[in-house]
Amino acid sequence: MSFTDVLHQLSDFIECNLTGDNSSANYWYEGYCRQSGDFLRLPRTDLAEAIAHSLMQHLATDELYSREGKMYGILLVETLSGERRVIKAFSGLLNGQSVVDSWVPAIPGREQVALEEARTLAELDAIKQELITLNQQPEKQQYATLAREFEQQLQAMSDRHRDRKYQRQQKRQLLWETLSQAALTIALEELDEESRQDGIERRRLKQQRDRILQPLEEAIASRNLRIQQLKQKRKALSRQLQAQMHAAYSLMNFLGQSLSLQQLMPGGSIPTGTGDCCAPKLLHYAATHQLKPLTMAEFWWGSSSEDKIQGEFYGACVERCQPLMGFLLSGIKPKTLGSQEEISIIYKDKWLIAVNKPAGLLSVPGRYFHTQDSVLSRLRHLLPEGMMLAAVHRLDQDTSGILLLARDSQTYRQINRQFQQRQVHKVYEAILAGTVSIDAGIIDLPLWGNPHNRPYQQVDWQHGKPSVTHFRAIAREGDYTRVEFVPLTGRTHQLRVHASDARGLGVVILGDRFYGCTAEATRLHLHAKELRFQHPHSGDTLHLQVETPF
């Protein structure tokens, strides 16, 4: 059965699931329109995931798709006539091809640099082969073997000469005691000659060593220089080709605007593969064919990697896709988040502001969206022009609770130092989607942020940073456990990983889809309910508390 046939079977499901406002989205593709400043969002819904699962079933029937692991994506769209269609894309190349029948093609522009790309790739391959040959040359191994042999010979000679020197010293002492002056002079001269001969023997061995090893050293130095030159050339060629491709690659949004990757991400290095991911391909294709996007999903299929699991859904990658989202989504109906909604301020003086952050709101704007809706951007509207305001710490977007902000740089530094030195007492409350039998304890699992799947964190004993959490079960309600967490460190997603990992509590926080929660939930059930620290100016202990909203 083809994927198209499977989609026909889903038609009724599609019809009955397209009503409503997509408020039950499992994930949002989002960004700010550069022109209007509107906050734009495209959901990944249960419907999108159902369609994606159907595509997975189709991929599972053809071993072509399991040869290499890669991201795949689907986008449910609506035509001008109201017909609903599903388009699909793969990241990068599929079996070495960028254009495959029934799949969305690559972003246009590659053909403009096709000849230059072929020439550069051929040159890069030649460099690769030469590097392989250079690394296989035997001089380095020969040098190491001979150097080790000479070192052993010199050591043995040194031991022998040391013994002979000791024996000469004993003889000299005996000669001084037993011989007359004339005989003593002759005997001592003989001993001195023995010493000179030992020195000559040692110098000859070193000369022999240098005579044999020096040509090998020169050959190795020449080879290393050539390897360094080839690597620099390879890097320069790759950068040159990437720059040409980024200038040629052109993306269109739903306003009909078209910009190159170079224009969209100016002033910095563009990560390799930008524009080749599923989401940009799908949204560009929809925009160029006047298709209205409704819901989208991306998933990994094929051999699993360190950070990607077959059949799992993933959001827009931070480095390559997220910076493009605001532009790509421009022209669709903006989704407002109530940016004028008031933030609940629980403490305020001339140095500090503490708020009760709602779930779903960022603590600070994202890296690429300085006007993105967040606690910081909302509070800045309440302050005089130019007044400083900075979040001293962070809460995850889906976590609610106490967030502390400083109103001047000195206060920021002093409070930040307390956080770094673990002098701030933090208490969180969570509901776990399962039963925890242990009443209390300590979780000590080092966490490492995978650079290829940010902000996902995992336990890693080799590279992870120390992460310690105290926990206490405060209630058991049916199949759920209410837990109080006291983190001694402040790592990204620390409580979420310490809860979900089998070496921690082994039970995911309710609503934490990122770490595998499948139970129905309207939000992440994690709340920062207490914060205790020393006021940097008055010296008083501030103990801030808010009610847990679940």
Side-chain angles (χ1 to χ4, degrees), residues 472-477 480-483:
R472 179 173 67 93
I474 54 180
R476 293 179 175 88
E477 305 159 1
Y480 300 98
T481 307
R482 187 176 291 271
V483 175

Side-chain angles (χ1 to χ4, degrees), residues 375-438:
V375 171
L376 189 61
S377 57
R378 291 189 190 183
L379 290 178
R380 277 178 175 162
H381 291 303
L382 306 177
L383 300 176
E385 185 82 26
M387 177 172 284
M388 175 187 166
L389 186 65
V392 181
H393 62 123
R394 303 284 192 275
L395 293 179
D396 293 342
Q397 181 174 4
D398 296 328
T399 301
S400 58
I402 301 173
L403 181 70
L404 188 64
L405 303 99
R407 305 180 71 171
D408 61 74
S409 57
Q410 182 183 2
T411 301
Y412 175 85
R413 286 193 299 270
Q414 291 175 336
I415 295 288
N416 187 255
R417 188 179 302 114
Q418 291 187 48
F419 274 93
Q420 291 177 347
Q421 296 176 354
R422 303 180 186 178
Q423 297 171 345
V424 178
H425 181 71
K426 298 168 286 184
V427 181
Y428 289 74
E429 190 169 321
I431 295 179
L432 306 187
T435 303
V436 175
S437 58
I438 305 174

Side-chain angles (χ1 to χ4, degrees), residues 11-12 33 105 125 167 173 210 307 316 359 437 446 461 477 485 502 526:
S11 59
D12 292 339
C33 176
D125 187 63
Q167 293 171 6
Q173 184 64 34
D210 295 342
D307 59 322
S437 58
W461 295 96
E477 305 159 1
F485 288 117
L526 180 62

Side-chain angles (χ1 to χ4, degrees), residues 270-530:
I270 303 175
T272 301
T274 301
D276 285 333
C277 297
C278 301
K281 282 185 177 181
L282 290 167
L283 292 172
H284 169 84
Y285 184 88
T288 55
H289 290 76
Q290 296 183 299
L291 302 172
K292 177 184 177 182
L294 301 174
T295 181
M296 181 166 64
E298 294 176 285
F299 61 91
W300 183 266
W301 192 260
S303 301
S304 297
S305 65
E306 285 186 12
D307 59 322
K308 294 291 191 299
I309 300 173
Q310 177 168 285
E312 291 292 317
F313 291 99
Y314 295 92
C317 54
V318 175
E319 293 87 359
R320 294 184 292 273
C321 294
Q322 187 55 55
L324 304 174
M325 277 300 136
F327 173 81
L328 287 167
L329 295 174
S330 294
I332 68 171
K333 184 178 179 180
K335 179 76 174 181
T336 60
L337 291 181
S339 58
Q340 301 305 315
E341 177 186 343
E342 290 187 6
I343 296 292
S344 174
I345 297 175
I346 62 172
Y347 178 85
K348 182 180 179 182
D349 62 26
K350 66 179 182 178
W351 300 288
L352 295 168
I353 295 178
V355 304
N356 187 6
K357 185 186 89 67
L361 182 64
L362 291 169
S363 296
V364 299
R367 176 181 175 186
Y368 298 99
F369 307 101
H370 301 301
T371 59
Q372 195 168 10
D373 190 28
S374 66
V375 171
L376 189 61
S377 57
R378 291 189 190 183
L379 290 178
R380 277 178 175 162
H381 291 303
L382 306 177
L383 300 176
E385 185 82 26
M387 177 172 284
M388 175 187 166
L389 186 65
V392 181
H393 62 123
R394 303 284 192 275
L395 293 179
D396 293 342
Q397 181 174 4
D398 296 328
T399 301
S400 58
I402 301 173
L403 181 70
L404 188 64
L405 303 99
R407 305 180 71 171
D408 61 74
S409 57
Q410 182 183 2
T411 301
Y412 175 85
R413 286 193 299 270
Q414 291 175 336
I415 295 288
N416 187 255
R417 188 179 302 114
Q418 291 187 48
F419 274 93
Q420 291 177 347
Q421 296 176 354
R422 303 180 186 178
Q423 297 171 345
V424 178
H425 181 71
K426 298 168 286 184
V427 181
Y428 289 74
E429 190 169 321
I431 295 179
L432 306 187
T435 303
V436 175
S437 58
I438 305 174
D439 290 332
I442 299 175
I443 304 169
D444 187 355
L445 296 173
L447 299 183
W448 175 68
N450 193 317
H452 303 295
N453 188 26
R454 293 174 180 165
Y456 184 83
Q457 305 290 309
Q458 62 193 58
V459 176
D460 191 308
W461 295 96
Q462 182 177 1
H463 303 102
K465 296 180 179 179
S467 307
V468 181
T469 303
H470 288 209
F471 71 91
R472 179 173 67 93
I474 54 180
R476 293 179 175 88
E477 305 159 1
D479 294 331
Y480 300 98
T481 307
R482 187 176 291 271
V483 175
E484 188 177 84
F485 288 117
V486 179
L488 301 189
T489 51
R491 311 299 180 200
T492 300
H493 291 186
Q494 175 174 321
L495 302 182
R496 299 166 71 171
V497 178
H498 279 184
S500 61
D501 193 276
R503 290 158 291 187
L505 296 179
V507 183
V508 70
I509 295 175
L510 181 61
D512 193 354
R513 294 181 179 274
F514 199 63
Y515 289 98
C517 181
T518 57
E520 289 296 325
T522 56
R523 58 159 291 176
L524 174 69
H525 285 64
L526 180 62
H527 181 72
K529 67 177 185 179
E530 291 186 41

Side-chain angles (χ1 to χ4, degrees), residues 208-244:
Q208 181 188 9
R209 177 197 63 187
D210 295 342
R211 188 167 57 252
I212 293 175
L213 293 184
Q214 186 173 353
L216 291 174
E217 288 180 344
E218 292 173 353
I220 292 171
S222 176
R223 185 195 64 172
N224 289 341
L225 177 60
R226 178 59 179 163
I227 288 174
Q228 183 181 7
Q229 291 171 340
L230 287 172
K231 287 183 176 180
Q232 290 174 343
K233 184 178 181 181
R234 180 178 63 185
K235 186 175 183 179
L237 285 171
S238 298
R239 284 182 172 176
Q240 180 181 350
L241 179 60
Q242 285 293 325
Q244 290 172 329

